[in-house]
Amino acid sequence: MATAKSNSSTSVAACNQAAHSLQSHFENQVRRLPNKLTKLVIGFSGGLDSTVLLNLCHQNAIALQAFSIKVVHVDHGQSEKAARWGEFCRELCQSYGFEFVLAKVQVNNMARHSLEALLRDARYQQLALHVDQHTALLTGHHCDDQLETFVLNLKRGSGVLGLASMPELRVFSEGVLFRPLLEINRSQLEAYAQTQNLAWVEDESNTDQAFDRNYIRHTLSPLLLARWPGFQKSLTRSTQLLQESQGLLDELAQQDLLELTKRGKRQDALEIKPLLQLSVARRNNVLRYWLHRKGLSPSHALLAQLWKQIAAKADAKLSLDIGNHALKRYNEHLYLYQLDSFEPQNLDLEPADFAQSSEIVFGKQCLSWKDGGHLRKPSSDLKVQIKFRADFENPSMRIAGRAGSRSLKKLLQEFGVAPWLRAQLPLLCYDNEIVAIADLAVCEGWYIKQPTGLALYLNVCDHTYVDPPR
């Protein structure tokens, strides 16, 4: 078994004091969790930091009695020892009485992509599967990890968001991500492990200084701490201040985003005219915030190229690729279009589904409904379906409140639906007859004057994206 134990020469008394201090710190940290949470998911690699975290959860069973606890170990398949590590993790969790889940992922190295980043993204995608709105994901990141993250982001030329590094508590998937040990350094974890006689696995790749993070850990960090012993505490203070600054920037971006989308029907389209009226810094800030919500990190060069194209000519075509998305311009709005969008598939619904508020998700879109609208509810004898443009040969229809009929193609043009979105626009049908074009219009014959029917809402589902934590 590739396991290790602490070989620290720290005195027993000092270790006991450190252990007591860490126990108190952990208890205080747990109290910071939002009251609505009832589940804890622990990301457990089997290494020192997550082993200490697991033991702290075991030792603090009384403080955590309001939570169910699940432990998830992700096998990346990168080491021939991975199976033995998984078994070590399983046995330890069983000894503590914790539910254990082994998740296996396969990650292929890609040109111009960091293998570390690919592994991290795959790991958090798996962990996100276990995180709902009542769940906190706990990880064992500590102060040394924070220093490494800060230096890596500094090397990349990051702004406030990157230099703010890892926050202790942040939104993740539908729940939160919590790092209760972020102010604790590795030597404190080793001292605690010594008092508890803990064993853990050692990943041989952690000593390979071909990886930037390992170079910082084994070469750069010791030099910094030897020169300035208080460097980690200063760094913690700086990252907290940077996180406050980023919070203010996010608040400003939220206000701007609301202004830029309030006249449009879709959350993934920004009105260009008011966007251009903002200062360059404020404009870049709201764009970064908007794109980051989609899991994208625009470079300074990409933003500069974007504004160059927009300023060139008002009606000029614009298309910039960023990740698996493209930025496009249509009808004086800036759109973010996912290149690998879903293939529309019809959905059969029951009339009873509309008796109360609900929603359906397809691709990155969410169609929801509630009472208080003008669309007649389906009677129990009607067949209800969600269909798409490809199911019809450009039908002609009458929209409630309008004179005459128009083709579906003409109506979508009038409603300002971007050409690349038209095939994905859901059409609500009763007995194969279109009764509503998404949330844009209700067809004649299905409109009721009093707001006692259905109100439809089509939105982009931001929560379907799993943001790989900083």
Side-chain angles (χ1 to χ4, degrees):
M1 176 63 65
T3 58
K5 287 193 175 184
S6 176
N7 59 2
S8 173
S9 59
T10 308
S11 69
V12 173
C15 285
N16 288 336
Q17 183 179 0
H20 178 73
S21 176
L22 184 52
Q23 287 270 13
S24 299
H25 175 81
F26 182 76
E27 291 175 11
N28 291 332
Q29 289 288 79
V30 168
R31 296 190 186 102
R32 296 182 56 211
L33 288 171
N35 293 330
K36 69 174 184 177
L37 300 179
T38 59
K39 308 173 189 175
L40 299 181
V41 170
I42 302 172
F44 184 41
S45 68
L48 170 66
D49 47 4
S50 60
T51 298
V52 168
L53 175 62
L54 197 71
N55 183 268
L56 285 167
C57 291
H58 175 63
Q59 297 290 344
N60 287 271
I62 295 178
L64 299 177
Q65 61 184 346
F67 299 94
S68 65
I69 297 178
K70 179 192 294 185
V71 181
V72 180
H73 172 75
V74 180
D75 178 355
H76 303 91
Q78 296 293 306
S79 172
E80 59 184 17
K81 302 175 183 176
R84 282 184 286 166
W85 296 342
E87 191 57 33
F88 167 82
C89 294
R90 183 190 304 275
E91 291 176 358
L92 184 57
C93 289
Q94 287 177 345
S95 71
Y96 288 165
F98 292 154
E99 178 185 355
F100 177 78
V101 175
L102 174 63
K104 294 187 178 183
V105 298
Q106 184 174 358
V107 178
N108 297 318
N109 208 348
M110 300 170 60
R112 295 187 296 179
H113 286 76
S114 163
L115 179 59
E116 291 176 277
L118 292 171
L119 294 173
R120 182 198 65 211
D121 292 354
R123 179 166 64 253
Y124 279 102
Q125 288 285 347
Q126 283 295 317
L127 292 171
L129 298 176
H130 303 275
V131 177
D132 62 18
Q133 60 184 335
H134 302 295
T135 304
L137 169 64
L138 271 60
T139 64
H141 291 105
H142 49 82
C143 193
D144 297 64
D145 296 322
Q146 187 77 304
L147 189 156
E148 294 160 14
T149 300
F150 179 87
V151 173
L152 283 171
N153 289 337
L154 182 65
K155 177 187 74 72
R156 296 175 184 132
S158 298
V160 175
L161 179 62
L163 296 180
S165 303
M166 298 184 290
E168 281 189 340
L169 184 67
R170 54 151 289 177
V171 173
F172 174 70
S173 188
E174 297 180 17
V176 298
L177 169 64
F178 186 44
R179 301 178 174 104
L181 307 179
L182 202 55
E183 295 183 13
I184 306 300
N185 61 42
R186 183 178 175 88
S187 61
Q188 291 173 288
L189 298 181
E190 289 179 339
Y192 178 88
Q194 183 174 336
T195 66
Q196 301 296 319
N197 196 31
L198 298 180
W200 60 90
V201 302
E202 288 284 7
D203 186 342
E204 67 275 7
S205 69
N206 287 336
T207 62
D208 184 357
Q209 296 196 40
F211 293 107
D212 288 344
R213 184 175 290 275
N214 289 340
Y215 172 76
I216 296 170
R217 179 178 306 160
H218 297 293
T219 300
L220 186 57
S221 290
L223 291 173
L224 292 171
L225 297 176
R227 176 72 177 183
W228 300 293
F231 188 83
Q232 285 181 326
K233 287 186 177 179
S234 298
L235 178 69
T236 297
R237 184 167 62 250
S238 293
T239 54
Q240 289 171 346
L241 292 172
L242 285 164
Q243 287 163 15
E244 287 184 7
S245 298
Q246 185 60 49
L248 291 174
L249 289 173
D250 286 348
E251 288 181 16
L252 178 61
Q254 290 167 6
Q255 295 173 12
D256 289 339
L257 191 60
L258 185 63
E259 184 67 24
L260 294 169
T261 58
K262 70 178 184 181
R263 284 178 285 274
K265 275 286 187 181
R266 296 179 61 87
Q267 296 174 341
D268 55 346
L270 305 183
E271 193 174 355
I272 289 176
K273 186 176 180 179
L275 186 62
L276 290 171
Q277 292 173 351
L278 298 176
S279 67
V280 174
R282 189 166 175 176
R283 193 168 65 205
N284 287 344
N285 181 58
V286 69
L287 265 178
R288 288 192 185 97
Y289 177 81
W290 179 55
L291 293 171
H292 188 259
R293 287 174 57 181
K294 314 291 184 180
L296 302 171
S297 300
S299 66
H300 184 75
L302 184 137
L303 292 179
Q305 179 63 21
L306 173 63
W307 298 123
K308 182 179 179 180
Q309 291 194 29
I310 287 178
K313 194 176 180 181
D315 59 349
K317 289 186 178 180
L318 181 152
S319 183
L320 284 177
D321 290 346
I322 172 171
N324 64 337
H325 290 69
L327 288 164
K328 292 177 175 286
R329 179 180 191 161
Y330 177 74
N331 199 23
E332 287 308 298
H333 282 74
L334 185 64
Y335 285 82
L336 184 66
Y337 175 61
Q338 187 170 338
L339 298 175
D340 56 350
S341 296
F342 80 112
E343 291 293 331
Q345 293 183 348
N346 296 347
L347 298 172
D348 293 322
L349 302 172
E350 296 294 332
D353 295 335
F354 296 88
Q356 58 186 0
S357 300
S358 188
E359 67 178 26
I360 52 175
V361 176
F362 41 93
K364 292 290 184 180
Q365 299 184 104
C366 175
L367 181 67
S368 60
W369 55 84
K370 64 180 182 179
D371 289 337
H374 297 277
L375 172 64
R376 188 185 306 277
K377 293 183 179 181
S379 58
S380 60
D381 60 331
L382 288 176
K383 182 179 181 181
V384 184
Q385 286 183 309
I386 299 293
K387 293 192 171 187
F388 298 88
R389 187 181 177 187
D391 298 307
F392 303 92
E393 294 184 2
N394 196 26
S396 180
M397 60 190 70
R398 291 187 63 187
I399 299 301
R402 288 191 177 193
S405 299
R406 289 176 175 80
S407 69
L408 178 58
K409 179 180 179 180
K410 184 66 175 178
L411 286 170
L412 295 180
Q413 290 174 344
E414 292 179 8
F415 293 144
V417 180
W420 57 89
L421 297 175
R422 293 171 189 172
Q424 303 174 17
L425 198 68
L427 306 171
L428 182 62
C429 301
Y430 296 167
D431 282 349
N432 296 315
E433 178 185 350
I434 299 175
V435 299
I437 303 174
D439 57 352
L440 298 174
V442 175
C443 296
E444 187 68 41
W446 299 101
Y447 180 90
I448 53 178
K449 291 184 178 180
Q450 298 299 320
T452 56
L454 294 172
L456 301 180
Y457 302 92
L458 181 65
N459 292 303
V460 176
C461 299
D462 284 334
H463 66 267
T464 61
Y465 166 70
V466 178
D467 179 9
R470 300 187 301 276

